[in-house]
Amino acid sequence: MERQALHPTKDRLLDAAEELFSDRGIDATSLRAVTSAAGVNLASVNYHFESKDGLVRSVFLRRLEPLNNERLELLDALEITAAGTAIELEAILDAWVLPALRMGQSPEGKRFKRLLGRIYSEPGDSLQTLLRELFGEILQRFSAAIGRTLPELSAEELMWRVHFMLGAMIHTVADQPSIRAFSGGLCDPSDIEGVRRRLIDFVAAGLRSPPAKKTTGQSPGTRK
């Protein structure tokens, strides 16, 4: 079902901002550049979004809200089916990564993936605050679900592993051309099923690995 353009000016602004942000970066893109690309006047930004920060938030919310809703629906279904029994770790990971891989198949999704890649390579305090807001609830849900499948992990260890998990998944989704270039064409990022299987297997193995041994008073370079 196609999204109805109830506010065509607003949609044009969002499309133009997403394209320019992904190509140039958020800080390097002026509101005048966005309105020029959208073919609207500068006052329309204030009318629909109040500010550039409001526009940036709406660009992310438009893509991330349905993505995260789909992830939560998949996790809810797993928990309902499990009815109090343990859920397979790979199934939880699949509920996180599959919607993102599917999103990346549309032209809009590919554009947004480029934007995600930019924000993680060009971080800013306000943007990181926004991402924590948009991902806070869903990360709590998934971290808790993963923790229940790996009760041997301390809360600290679990958080580190979720952090590493997100890094692997974000890099895979947001920077797929790199693996094609690095492998000389051997690896095909358009093979969604292959990417899905390899990524889940890799992350699951890392999450299940024995807890790291703590060291005291020594940096890695001073160990004997």
Side-chain angles (χ1 to χ4, degrees):
M1 183 176 181
E2 293 185 1
R3 176 170 56 89
Q4 294 182 351
L6 297 179
H7 301 286
T9 299
K10 184 177 181 179
D11 287 341
R12 288 203 303 273
L13 283 166
L14 288 169
D15 290 342
E18 187 175 73
E19 183 70 38
L20 291 172
F21 291 163
S22 64
D23 287 343
R24 305 178 184 179
I26 294 173
D27 289 342
T29 302
S30 68
L31 284 182
R32 193 169 297 280
V34 173
T35 55
S36 177
V40 300
N41 60 49
L42 196 59
S44 61
V45 174
N46 292 328
Y47 176 77
H48 288 290
F49 307 106
E50 297 185 357
S51 64
K52 183 178 179 179
D53 285 344
L55 174 60
V56 170
R57 188 181 192 283
S58 294
V59 166
F60 282 92
L61 193 62
R62 180 171 67 155
R63 303 297 182 205
L64 291 178
E65 189 171 53
L67 173 66
N68 286 340
N69 284 342
E70 183 180 0
R71 286 166 162 165
L72 288 173
E73 288 170 2
L74 291 171
L75 183 59
D76 287 341
L78 288 173
E79 292 176 342
I80 291 171
T81 302
T85 61
I87 302 173
E88 185 181 34
L89 177 60
E90 284 79 0
I92 297 171
L93 299 178
D94 196 31
W96 180 271
V97 74
L98 180 58
L101 291 175
R102 283 199 293 230
M103 179 191 73
Q105 296 309 291
S106 67
E108 298 83 3
K110 290 177 181 178
R111 184 171 62 202
F112 187 68
K113 285 195 307 181
R114 295 203 315 270
L115 178 56
L116 282 178
R118 268 195 171 278
I119 64 169
Y120 281 99
S121 62
E122 304 171 10
D125 290 342
S126 61
L127 194 53
Q128 294 305 310
T129 299
L130 171 61
L131 291 178
R132 284 194 295 271
E133 174 191 342
L134 295 177
F135 281 106
E137 177 188 354
I138 191 171
L139 279 177
Q140 288 180 0
R141 284 284 310 277
F142 273 82
S143 296
I146 291 169
R148 286 192 290 271
T149 71
L150 301 169
E152 69 276 14
L153 297 180
S154 68
E156 178 188 11
E157 190 67 23
L158 175 63
M159 288 298 99
W160 273 115
R161 295 188 184 203
V162 169
H163 175 72
F164 298 145
M165 173 193 86
L166 292 175
M169 291 181 168
I170 290 167
H171 181 70
T172 300
V173 170
D175 191 22
Q176 291 187 354
S178 290
I179 183 61
R180 190 192 299 276
F182 180 71
S183 68
L186 182 64
C187 300
D188 180 13
S190 67
D191 175 16
I192 295 303
E193 187 54 40
V195 173
R196 175 187 182 188
R197 174 173 48 82
R198 289 181 175 92
L199 180 57
I200 290 173
D201 287 349
F202 176 83
V203 172
L207 288 169
R208 288 195 178 104
S209 64
K213 294 181 179 179
K214 290 190 175 182
T215 58
T216 57
Q218 285 186 323
S219 64
T222 60
R223 293 178 190 169
K224 296 181 179 180

